[in-house]
Amino acid sequence: MRTEYAKLLTMTKAFAYLRVSGKGQVEGDGFARQLEAIKKFAASNDHKIAKVYREEGVSGTTDWENRPAFSEMMAAMLANGTRTVLLERLDRCARDLMVQESIIADFRRKGLKIVSVNEPDLCSDDPSRVLMRQMLGAFFQYEKTLLVAKLRGARQRIRAKAGHCEGRKPYGTFAGEAAVIERMKALRHMGLAVDKVAAELNSEGLRPRAGKVWYATSVYRVLKAAGAL
């Protein structure tokens, strides 16, 4: 018992950061796969995961300041002493090379550490590792560009054939969703942060359109789209 307690005291506290790009991926296995890889690394390397941050439907080409979960995580890291973030791969951090390198450089300036658990030494200053990291970043960016081009081509073909290509309808379109938005607005008016709003909606049994529970990022997106932020 004493040995386990002593081990806990020496473990490095870390946050886990998960991200999927498309809203349709939120209900897939992306989050579960990423978290499993992070937990395995943490267990083998004396890291204790203090909190998990999920970025839902946010592109890897987006700067961290415009990612709700990442911004919340950064604020927590600068405030509570947790200095390390674990992610599955560097493309979960960014698929754009410049965004990736900007985030890594910003972490260093702030005295923070980012660890890609599938390539744990990739963020070091060793010239060969920097080269490898940047080559991978360029590959991720190229891969993302190809995917976007394929999706655009598919939409154009559907539009040419059917005359239209509807996207995902915004939250609030379907029956009952407008009432949930009004409840969100009321909770925000009471001074609750978006994570507390999500917790309250879950406790009241109000479910999102997809999935079982609300998260801070999904509440943030709905409120922003509704012009309430």
Side-chain angles (χ1 to χ4, degrees):
M1 185 74 172
R2 187 180 296 275
T3 303
E4 287 297 318
Y5 179 70
K7 183 179 179 180
L8 285 173
L9 291 178
T10 59
M11 292 177 78
T12 301
K13 284 180 60 178
F15 290 142
Y17 177 71
L18 321 176
R19 182 186 65 79
V20 296
S21 300
K23 293 180 180 178
Q25 296 175 303
V26 173
E27 296 308 309
D29 68 346
F31 283 137
R33 185 200 69 240
Q34 292 174 45
L35 186 56
E36 181 180 3
I38 290 170
K39 283 183 174 179
K40 284 183 178 179
F41 176 88
S44 301
N45 292 273
D46 291 333
H47 283 69
K48 182 179 184 299
I49 299 175
K51 188 172 181 179
V52 177
Y53 290 87
R54 296 169 35 128
E55 203 79 78
E56 301 178 9
V58 176
S59 169
T61 60
T62 305
D63 290 334
W64 74 258
E65 293 90 343
N66 296 311
R67 303 184 194 184
F70 202 103
S71 298
E72 182 184 347
M73 181 181 71
M74 287 292 287
M77 292 179 79
L78 295 173
N80 72 4
T82 301
R83 316 301 287 175
T84 302
V85 58
L86 306 177
L87 40 84
E88 180 198 26
R89 298 188 312 176
L90 274 181
D91 66 340
R92 297 305 87 201
C93 167
R95 276 185 176 268
D96 182 284
L97 177 58
M98 297 304 294
V99 173
Q100 170 192 290
E101 292 301 304
S102 173
I103 289 175
I104 291 172
D106 191 51
F107 264 60
R108 286 182 178 149
R109 285 194 298 270
K110 291 178 168 65
L112 308 176
K113 184 178 181 182
I114 189 167
V115 178
S116 169
V117 302
N118 282 349
E119 54 247 334
D121 64 337
L122 206 57
C123 293
S124 72
D125 287 326
D126 178 78
S128 63
R129 304 311 289 165
V130 172
L131 175 61
M132 181 62 71
R133 183 178 75 231
Q134 293 180 349
M135 288 174 62
L136 280 173
F139 172 76
F140 293 146
Q141 185 172 344
Y142 174 70
E143 186 182 50
K144 176 67 175 181
T145 302
L146 283 182
L147 177 59
V148 169
K150 288 179 181 178
L151 292 174
R152 184 184 299 117
R155 286 193 295 269
Q156 289 173 347
R157 288 191 294 273
I158 293 171
R159 191 176 291 111
K161 184 177 180 179
H164 61 88
C165 181
E166 294 186 0
R168 180 184 175 93
K169 293 185 180 296
Y171 191 84
T173 305
F174 299 137
E177 292 180 347
V180 177
I181 293 176
E182 290 306 310
R183 181 58 177 151
M184 287 182 185
K185 290 179 179 179
L187 292 169
R188 282 289 291 164
H189 186 70
M190 293 166 58
L192 271 66
V194 288
D195 59 332
K196 300 300 182 184
V197 172
E200 182 60 28
L201 294 176
N202 293 332
S203 71
E204 293 176 8
L206 299 174
R207 298 288 178 257
R209 182 185 297 174
K212 297 181 180 180
V213 296
W214 287 98
Y215 294 94
T217 48
S218 48
V219 169
Y220 177 90
R221 282 202 310 272
V222 170
L223 288 173
K224 186 175 182 180
L229 286 177

